Structure formats: C-alpha cells, structure tokens
Amino acid sequence: MYTGSPLAIETSLPLNQLPIHKLLSPLREAFHVNNQVILEAPTGAGKSTALPLAMLDWSEFKGKILMLEPRRVAARSVANYIASQRGSQIGGEVGFRVRGESRCGESTRLEIVTEGILTRMIQQDPELAGIDLIIFDEIHERHLTTDLGLALALEIQGSFREDLKILAMSATLSGLPLSTLMPDACSLQSEGRSFPVELGYRSLAESKGRTQGANPYQNRTQIWLEHMGKCIVDLLNGDDKHLASIDASIGSNIDISGSLLAFLPGQGEIMRLHDYLAKRLDLNIFSLCPLYGSLPAKAQDRAIAPATDGKRKVVLSTNVAESSLTIDGITMVVDSGYKRHASFNPKTGVTRLTLKRISQASAAQRAGRAGRLSAGYCLRLWSQEEQGRLLKADEPEILHSDLIPMSLDAACWGVKSLNELPLLTLASKANETVAWQLLALLDLVDEQRTLTKHGSQAYQLGCHPRLAHMLLKAKSLSQNEGNDQLVGLACLLAGILESRSLGRHGVDISNYLREAIQAESGKQVRTWMKKLKVNIDLSRLVSSIGSGDIALLLALAFPDRIAKSRGVSGYQLANGTGVTLPEHDPLARADWLVVADFQESEGRTSGRVYLAAEIDEDLFKKRLAFLVKSQDYCGWDDGKGRFFAENRQRIGQIVLSKAASSKPDPEQIKAAIFELIRSKGLELLNLNSKVLQLQNRVKLATELDTDAGWPDIGEQHLLASLEDWLGPYINDVRSLSQLRALDCYTLLQNLFEWDKLQRLDKLFPCHWSMATGTRAAITYDDAGRARLSVRLQEALGMAQSPILANGKLTVTMELLSPARRPLALTADLASFWQGPYVEVKKEMKGRYPKHLWPDDPANTLPTRFTKKKTLSRNDS
C-alpha cells in the first residue's frame, strides 16, 4: 500500500506519466491565442497539482499565478505539496491564503487561495497588478464565492486587464454553462486517471425491513447512524456480503486491508459515529480521524496524511473530501448519501439547514475517492433504484443562499443588481431583494443601492455586513463616551458569531465571551481590534461587561431579531418569525431578547434559538429609540364587526404600545382589507366554482399553450397582487359582507384581453356538444385533468374521448347511469366499449330495463331517451 504524499494519485508518478501532461503544450498554445481557457479534467488527471507545478516554469508567466480552491483544507494541502516538489518552504515561491491564515511572501509566484480571498483582492486592486493568471479549480462545485470571483475576474479582463488569463477547470462540464458565459474561450479536455471502483448498495430499508425511501433523519438519526456504523464495522471485519460476492477477477485487485473514508452530512453526525465506532473497533488496529471544515489545521493534516503508526485509518468526513483532495491509503468508501443543505429563507432572514440527498455527480465524486490509489470499493447506504432518482448535479448556491455579503460586494463594485454581473446563474430574486433591504436598513447602501461611506468602512472589516455595522457603531459610541470597552465587546461578539466551533454553554451569548479570546476566534478578534485601532485587555474586559451593553450591540446588528415573549409559545421576532428556546434555559423566562443566532429545521413550525441576550425594554426609549417607528394602523374588529384605526409604536412587527385614533379613511380601510385577506386567505372573497374553474383552465393553458403568455391567476399570485386586481374595486367597501358581494369571476376576467378569453374558450371549453344535442359540462381539476360527465347512453357511438388544447389534452369521460350516478371513469372509450362495458351492462340492464344497453355500443346511435321513446323517434 502506498504511504507517501497526501496527494499520492497525482504525484506518485513522474509528471510525464500523468494525463494532464498531454495537454501542457496545447494549453500553452491556447493561451497564446486566447486569454480564456476551459479545461475539463476528471479525477486523477493532475490538474490541481501537476498543472500549476509545471506552469511555474512557463516563461510566458512573469507575474504571479493565483489558483482558487473551494475549501481551506484543500488549499493548504495543495500548496504544501507543490512547495515540497519545488524544494522550497511554504511561503516562499509557493504559498497559500485562507480565512485567518496567510503563508505568502514577496517572492511568492504561485498562491493557492480560497475563493472569498480573490474577491477581496479584486475589490482592493481592480487591476490585479502583478498577477498574470487566475485558475478556478473545481468550478463545478458552484459555491457562491466561486461564481462571484469568476464574474469579477471576467469584468476585470473585459475592462482593465485584457492581458489577464483565466483558466476555468472542472472535473465535469455537465450542466455547467461555462461556454455560454465564456463563448470565445478555448476548450480542452483531459483524460482522468483512476482505478475501477466496485459499487455496493445497502439501504436502511433493505437491512431493517423499513419503508424504502423514508428519510431516517426526520426522527431516527441515531438508528440511521447505527446502521452506518454497523456497515463500516462489517466492512472492516470482512463481513460485507456484497464485497465477498464480487467476481474474483475484480475482487482480487481491491485492497480490503486499506483505509476507509466515510462521508457524513456534518460535524454532529461525525462525532456520534466516532463514538459508536470507538466502542466496536480495535483502536490498536484502527485510527479514527474526523475531518470537517472547522477542525484545527493539525487535526485536518492528521486525517489527510499517511498513517505512521501502522494502523488503518477510518476517516469520518463531510464533503470537504469530495474533490480536490486525496486522502492517503483510502481504498474503501462508505457514503451516507446525505449532505447538509443550507437554504436562505427570505421571509425570516435566516438560513435553514436541512439534510438532503446528494446528487449523482456528488455520488460519483465520493465513490471515486476509493479508486485514487488502486481498485476500490464504495458502499452506498441507499438503494440502487433510489440512485436513479437523485438529481443529476447539485444546484448552485446562488439560487438558495444568503446574498447579503454578495450584495455588499456588488455595491462595492458599483453595480445595483447582482444580475448586472456576468454570472453563471442568475441570483434568486427574492433573496437578493431581502439582501438590499437589510443593507439599506443598516445604512450600508442608500435608496439607490449606492455604497455609503459607512458601507465602505464596513466592507473593509471583512466580516458579515451585520457584524461590520455593529463594530462601526460600537466604535462611534465608544468615541462619544470616551471608552473603548464597547468596541472590544463588539469584537468579542463578532468573534463568537463567526466562530465555526463553539462549546455548549446554553443560549446566553455572554457565556461564550472567554471562549472568543482563544484560538482562531481570538486571532480574528484581535485583527478587528487592530483595524478599529483599539488596544484593551480582553480578559479584564470579559470580567467587567454588563448584559445591557451586549444587548445594545446585538440589537444594532440584528434589529429584525429583537424578540418579545409570547408566553408558553416562545417568542415573536421583529420580522414576524416565531422562535423557541429550550425550556430549561435561563433565558427562556425573559420578556425580551435579542436573537443573534437561530435556525429553522424541517418539520418545525418555529426556529430554534442558539445564541441570544436578554434586553431591557427601557432601551427602546433611550439608546435604541431610533428603532421604534410610529404607524397609523387600520384593522378589522371581529367582535364589533367594523374597521378601526389606532396609532401604534412598533419595532418591526412587534407592537410596543397603541392608542385609538380618529375614524379610518378609505385608503387605510383598503390597506386593512389587503392585510386581512393575506392573513385569513382568499376565502373571504366570493371565489365560487366558476372562479376555481377559470383558475384551473388558465393553469392548464400556461402549461400546454406556452407561447401565448397567460396571466397568472393562481392563489399565491392573487394574494401577492391584491392591490392590482382587487384594489380598484373596493374604494367603497366598508364591511366584509360588501367584500363578499364582489363578482370576483368578472374581476379576474378583466385581467385578460378579449382575444385571450376567446382562445381560452376554444382550447379549454366549459361545455362539449354531444351528438344528442346535450351541452355536457367539462370540469377541470387542479391536477390538470378535464372531466366530462354524461349519461352512458349519450356517449354511444363515440370512438374516443374528446381531445382539447390542439391535441394535447384527452378528456376523461365520467359515464353516468340513467339516474346520473357514476358508472365508469375512462379516457379511452374504445377500450371501455370492448372490455369493462360488458360488466357494466350486465349489472345495469336489470336495474334500468327501460334504457338502451346495446351489445355493440361503439356502433350504436346515442340517445337521451328510453328505449321506447328512442325507437318511436327513429321510426318517425
């Protein structure tokens, strides 16, 4: 077993034997004619190590080469390896820069950086003086900072630096719109170098007889982790049945004595599985090595480096080991199939963490980790059938992330919308709107989205805009009071909130102040203090801090998260969100809080508070009085059955006080009506069956008649646009009975041009003329089905069901008895006449002997009448 470099697969061979070597000459030629190159290089090609190593000797690069890596652990590992191959110390010719750590010098020519570092470099020096080439490695991972860094680099290249070269590298270009963003770029493709990996599947359902497809994380995390632990123990002890049954020609090449890499969603699952395995594996033989982003650098190095004690490593990792990084000795992978998915909720302003299935692309990357050194084995803890249902690739972060920091970057760059930048994917409109609103609330941008002086100063601090605002306001308050304690405290609070690893000391943020002085957090705290030109004894400061100051500072950063107790049901935030605290936590009895950190989870109606501080309500009359807004409010009184008006003092959606005011005017009543409908729903209006049918027909038209541009009259859109379609018709409404009397069907029809209504009636008619002269009603349901109800005798002779929407929609026929009771439901009349009709006829002929039940229904004339009347009409 190979026990050399952590990047063994790319570097254990001479450079001229790696696949990337074949592309070195074509790549140099490409850069002679084009400053943009797209390189697709699968696993093991050598793109992350051998390529930048070779480029250091290319004469055309006189200046510095920047290479971006998505993760800190990969950036450090790659830089250290290349430096060792050059025979130099890290920080000399080769260096790296990541958040909180820099090992670069004046002589550094190749600098490996994480993506956010590049954005800062560009903002500080838009010409990137002295830099010849930027390499974007693993661009397919689609991190938010990757997309932004590439966009800014392209902006620079198109304006200041036409000579700047950009190399975008990806393990796969599938689903990646690079060629659209860079249409003139040269495209090159390299072969990969990896060994075959045998795949095994062992889902929890298959092992335990549970329902396949159920998400075990919802309530059974421990059971699921025990299943994974058992699979790992079986594999390491040689008891994996699938591996034992592999064909000898393949199995003979798999090193079952190698190390194992397990992929889990997050740190919490890693530590629980670590405890499970520690009790069941012989630790004289196996070495358990956690690996996650917030782990100290030395512990990360231990997980990546060769085992020096003769033990077999069991590396328990998040997706930091998914790409760009080869962990020494790995021949087996066990994949949970889950990832921690962060999704920003624009309604609450918080990022929701959920556990989701990985994509097929991620599954392939993870499995490939077992084949970097030799033939390997990957055990997937889901079914092979479920594998086919996974998404092809992960969604880019720009669609579901918090865009507040990115929007501040955009303002610093001078654009007023993220989509003004050359982005691979357009940003989420809802998330971006919330981002600009908060930046304006914190006075970081003005109403025109132009960066303010305060915003420029905040950006220089290099932290989240909320925290930067707090730090600067603390500096201003300290100067006014002649005391630097508030600044030092603000730095400590920011350090706590930006820390990636905190102990468990309850919800009260003051319990973490001493922890913020230490390790990586302490280093960052002192960096901010230096930027803010403050020099105080932090240990002494911690001992003298008052809770009022903590609450004040947090309220500056999180004005939308001031929270008022709702009694037994938790708290309401100023932004309207409900949150809860653990019942036993001391802060759970406070009347008012400032919530600094809370998270929403699937299946929970309220967010869970992790960090907060108690706040005195008197602050809203003094130092935080600027947060209190006066509002003239109009609402509906259910008890008295009338609208009322009052003046409210409020912080966001929290009402501090209210007093009755004069009779509401018409505009106030209209606003009250809109609020009432949005809170109680469209049921307050007269949305009868005609309206429902119109909505279902238009929904179908939108799906099947895509070129016509149909108006949206779905419930969500109607609620969001009440002012537009309902507002003009309620000027004289003063009661709910008057509101219900409105003809909403006509109001919605008014949204359509005349020719659109004619087209709708033609494509999706409300009636169908039967051969008997009956105009049978067609109803449309929200599942997209059209149903025509008619007595069976009137459908005789029909060869097929009616077809609507220019042949795109077949009507489902509901055939009725003479008493108009349902007999059959079919969209295939021809098949019905030949088969099920025979049984219907047997049952119905005796019950309705006066009506026609022919033996050959497909060739019988339809009728509305009894047999006798039908025959007499035919005779006449």
Side-chain angles (χ1 to χ4, degrees):
M1 181 174 62
Y2 185 82
T3 56
S5 160
L7 297 152
I9 187 62
E10 292 190 351
T11 58
S12 58
L13 296 174
L15 178 64
N16 59 10
Q17 292 185 31
L18 287 170
I20 202 70
H21 172 75
K22 297 178 182 179
L23 284 184
L24 294 182
S25 293
L27 185 58
R28 293 184 79 167
E29 292 173 6
F31 274 130
H32 279 298
V33 297
N34 198 315
N35 286 338
Q36 296 178 357
V37 176
I38 299 170
L39 172 62
E40 184 175 23
T43 297
K47 67 180 184 301
S48 300
T49 51
L51 178 58
L53 182 66
M55 285 179 164
L56 283 170
D57 294 324
W58 290 6
S59 58
E60 53 265 44
F61 294 140
K62 305 293 184 184
K64 183 181 290 188
I65 299 172
L66 284 183
M67 185 164 81
L68 277 74
E69 288 292 340
R71 298 180 175 89
R72 294 191 298 174
V73 59
R76 291 173 50 252
S77 181
V78 169
N80 277 293
Y81 170 71
I82 295 177
S84 70
Q85 292 299 298
R86 300 290 289 186
S88 63
Q89 294 293 319
I90 192 71
E93 185 184 31
V94 180
F96 69 85
R97 265 199 281 177
V98 299
R99 179 81 184 270
E101 186 178 7
S102 177
R103 298 291 298 277
C104 295
E106 293 183 1
S107 61
T108 300
R109 292 188 53 234
L110 172 63
E111 193 172 328
I112 317 295
V113 302
T114 45
E115 298 137 320
I117 299 293
L118 173 66
T119 301
R120 291 270 160 185
M121 293 175 68
I122 291 175
Q123 296 278 20
Q124 292 166 6
D125 177 17
E127 294 188 9
L128 287 182
I131 294 173
D132 287 357
L133 169 68
I134 304 177
I135 304 173
F136 291 86
D137 194 16
E138 307 296 355
I139 201 167
H140 66 279
E141 293 193 14
R142 299 304 308 280
H143 295 292
L144 193 62
T145 44
T146 308
D147 285 12
L148 178 59
L150 178 61
L152 295 183
L154 290 172
E155 290 257 294
I156 287 175
Q157 193 183 58
S159 52
F160 307 112
R161 288 284 311 279
E162 293 183 1
D163 63 315
L164 179 68
K165 292 178 171 53
I166 295 175
L167 172 60
M169 303 195 302
S170 174
T172 174
L173 294 179
S174 176
L176 190 64
L178 270 175
S179 57
T180 302
L181 187 64
M182 305 161 63
D184 299 323
C186 292
S187 295
L188 299 174
Q189 188 171 10
S190 170
E191 297 176 352
R193 185 179 188 275
S194 59
F195 295 90
V197 175
E198 179 69 19
L199 297 176
Y201 293 88
R202 189 174 169 186
S203 72
L204 178 63
E206 292 166 349
S207 298
K208 299 290 185 181
R210 304 182 193 277
T211 303
Q212 190 165 344
N215 183 349
Y217 274 97
Q218 289 177 346
N219 295 306
R220 301 188 175 186
T221 304
Q222 194 59 37
I223 294 176
W224 183 87
L225 284 172
E226 287 178 4
H227 169 64
M228 186 172 189
K230 186 178 186 305
C231 290
I232 291 174
V233 171
D234 288 348
L235 191 55
L236 293 174
N237 290 337
D239 296 329
D240 184 276
K241 295 180 181 179
H242 177 76
L243 184 58
S245 67
I246 295 174
D247 183 80
S249 63
I250 300 175
S252 61
N253 296 321
I254 299 177
D255 183 3
I256 59 174
S257 64
S259 293
L260 182 145
L261 170 61
F263 283 102
L264 293 108
Q267 178 182 343
E269 290 86 358
I270 285 174
M271 299 318 297
R272 274 184 277 180
L273 185 60
H274 181 282
D275 293 343
Y276 178 93
L277 295 175
K279 298 173 183 176
R280 292 164 176 81
L281 293 176
D282 186 345
L283 300 185
N284 293 315
I285 299 174
F286 299 101
S287 177
L288 299 178
C289 302
L291 180 59
Y292 48 87
S294 62
L295 198 66
K298 288 184 179 180
Q300 290 180 348
D301 291 342
R302 175 174 173 265
I304 298 169
T308 56
D309 52 7
K311 295 181 181 181
R312 295 170 64 188
K313 284 196 304 184
V314 180
V315 181
L316 309 177
S317 177
T318 61
N319 58 6
V320 299
E322 195 171 292
S323 58
S324 300
L325 192 68
T326 297
I327 301 175
D328 187 83
I330 299 296
T331 60
M332 293 179 287
V333 166
V334 176
D335 187 359
S336 71
Y338 282 94
K339 66 177 180 178
R340 188 80 68 196
H341 178 76
S343 179
F344 183 77
N345 184 347
K347 293 183 179 179
T348 61
V350 73
T351 295
R352 171 182 291 181
L353 293 178
T354 56
L355 286 151
K356 287 194 172 183
R357 278 297 187 195
I358 60 174
S359 66
Q360 293 184 24
S362 289
Q365 286 281 338
R366 291 181 176 189
R369 301 294 100 185
R372 299 296 295 269
L373 304 176
S374 62
Y377 176 62
C378 173
L379 178 61
R380 292 172 169 171
L381 301 186
W382 61 94
S383 68
Q384 193 164 6
E385 184 260 340
E386 189 175 359
Q387 168 69 17
R389 299 200 305 267
L390 298 180
L391 291 175
K392 297 294 183 183
D394 292 320
E395 287 186 332
E397 287 184 357
I398 200 168
L399 293 178
H400 51 71
S401 289
D402 175 2
L403 298 178
I404 295 169
M406 188 177 185
S407 297
L408 184 58
D409 266 304
C412 287
W413 193 244
V415 299
K416 303 182 187 303
S417 167
L418 293 178
N419 293 335
E420 292 179 28
L421 298 170
L423 294 167
L424 281 166
T425 302
L426 296 181
S428 161
K429 188 174 181 179
N431 291 6
E432 185 181 358
T433 298
V434 168
W436 287 108
Q437 288 173 347
L438 182 70
L439 294 179
L441 177 66
L442 300 179
D443 193 31
L444 301 175
V445 300
D446 61 22
E447 293 181 356
Q448 287 73 44
R449 297 185 176 180
T450 302
L451 190 71
T452 63
K453 181 180 179 181
H454 179 61
S456 179
Q457 293 172 340
Y459 185 80
Q460 299 306 317
L461 292 174
C463 54
H464 193 281
R466 286 183 184 269
L467 303 182
H469 171 72
M470 176 186 70
L471 292 170
L472 292 175
K473 287 297 183 182
K475 176 71 173 177
S476 177
L477 289 170
S478 290
Q479 288 174 340
N480 292 338
E481 298 173 4
N483 187 337
D484 285 340
Q485 282 199 345
L486 274 182
V487 187
L489 175 57
C491 291
L492 288 174
L493 293 174
I496 294 169
L497 294 170
E498 290 228 328
S499 174
R500 303 181 70 184
S501 180
L502 288 174
R504 295 183 178 181
H505 310 303
V507 171
D508 194 335
I509 198 170
S510 65
N511 296 334
Y512 300 85
L513 290 171
R514 290 202 177 277
E515 194 172 327
I517 301 175
Q518 304 164 5
E520 189 173 326
S521 292
K523 185 178 178 181
Q524 182 61 67
V525 166
R526 289 174 176 83
T527 299
W528 286 321
M529 289 174 61
K530 185 177 180 181
K531 289 183 177 181
L532 294 167
K533 299 178 181 178
V534 174
N535 184 17
I536 58 177
D537 186 329
L538 291 176
S539 296
R540 183 177 298 176
L541 174 65
V542 170
S543 303
S544 61
I545 285 172
S547 60
D549 288 340
I550 293 175
L552 168 67
L553 293 173
L554 291 181
L556 295 173
F558 304 98
D560 52 331
R561 296 187 192 172
I562 291 170
K564 184 179 181 181
S565 174
R566 295 190 301 197
V568 294
S569 60
Y571 291 79
Q572 179 193 356
L573 300 185
N575 64 19
T577 306
V579 296
T580 58
L581 278 70
E583 291 182 10
H584 63 273
D585 194 277
L587 283 187
R589 295 184 292 274
D591 292 328
W592 290 85
L593 296 175
V594 183
V595 176
D597 182 27
F598 81 98
Q599 288 179 1
E600 296 178 318
S601 303
E602 268 184 320
R604 291 177 62 95
T605 56
S606 297
R608 180 180 176 183
V609 177
Y610 287 96
L611 291 172
E614 184 173 4
I615 187 169
D616 190 333
E617 188 177 356
D618 284 344
L619 274 175
F620 305 137
K621 302 174 184 177
K622 300 173 183 176
R623 303 172 86 179
L624 293 176
F626 66 92
L627 293 177
V628 180
K629 307 298 181 185
S630 179
Q631 178 199 29
D632 290 324
Y633 176 78
C634 178
W636 173 259
D637 188 325
D638 279 322
K640 296 180 179 179
R642 62 178 176 82
F643 289 99
F644 67 91
E646 63 187 19
N647 180 265
R648 292 180 170 183
Q649 302 297 306
R650 60 194 302 164
I651 297 177
Q653 295 188 37
I654 298 175
V655 178
L656 296 173
S657 64
K658 53 189 176 182
S661 58
S662 58
K663 186 178 179 180
D665 62 39
E667 286 304 313
Q668 287 181 313
I669 292 177
K670 286 179 71 172
I673 291 173
F674 297 145
E675 181 182 4
L676 191 62
I677 294 173
R678 286 182 175 128
S679 65
K680 294 192 174 184
L682 293 172
E683 293 78 11
L684 288 177
L685 301 171
N686 180 22
L687 298 188
N688 54 27
S689 59
K690 288 176 63 179
V691 172
L692 180 62
Q693 286 300 297
L694 181 63
Q695 288 176 314
N696 290 338
R697 291 165 69 206
V698 173
K699 181 181 176 183
L700 271 170
T702 303
E703 295 171 357
L704 302 180
D705 188 37
T706 55
D707 296 332
W710 295 92
D712 185 353
I713 59 170
E715 181 176 347
Q716 294 302 316
H717 183 76
L718 290 181
L719 283 171
S721 59
L722 288 171
E723 291 82 356
D724 298 327
W725 69 272
L726 183 63
Y729 304 99
I730 61 173
N731 293 322
D732 298 323
V733 170
R734 296 293 181 269
S735 67
L736 294 189
S737 59
Q738 287 178 304
L739 189 63
R740 293 191 185 99
L742 292 173
D743 181 2
C744 290
Y745 179 75
T746 301
L747 299 190
L748 294 182
Q749 276 194 319
N750 291 342
L751 298 175
F752 293 79
E753 298 171 358
W754 183 85
D755 61 327
K756 280 277 177 37
L757 288 175
Q758 298 303 305
R759 185 176 180 86
L760 185 67
D761 288 340
K762 179 181 177 182
L763 295 177
F764 303 96
C766 296
H767 295 86
W768 186 265
S769 297
M770 305 295 293
T772 58
T774 296
R775 292 183 73 244
I778 300 177
T779 58
Y780 299 83
D781 60 30
D782 57 6
R785 182 170 58 177
R787 179 184 296 194
L788 187 153
S789 297
V790 68
R791 285 179 294 186
L792 183 146
Q793 283 73 17
E794 294 195 63
L796 295 172
M798 291 181 68
Q800 64 178 24
S801 301
I803 298 177
L804 310 179
N806 295 324
K808 296 179 181 178
L809 179 65
T810 300
V811 173
T812 298
M813 299 286 290
E814 184 180 44
L815 301 176
L816 308 176
S817 71
R820 304 197 69 82
R821 293 189 178 92
L823 293 177
L825 202 65
T826 180
D828 187 350
L829 270 177
S831 296
F832 174 75
W833 295 136
Q834 294 175 7
Y837 169 74
V838 177
E839 296 301 319
V840 171
K841 181 182 70 171
K842 286 181 183 178
E843 184 178 348
M844 292 294 109
K845 195 170 184 180
R847 187 175 301 180
Y848 299 102
K850 294 181 179 181
H851 291 78
L852 197 62
W853 302 96
D855 294 331
D856 185 11
N859 295 300
T860 301
L861 291 175
T863 180
R864 290 186 295 168
F865 308 106
T866 60
K867 282 191 295 184
K868 183 177 181 181
K869 194 169 183 179
T870 298
L871 291 173
S872 65
R873 289 173 65 90
N874 289 341
D875 291 342
S876 62

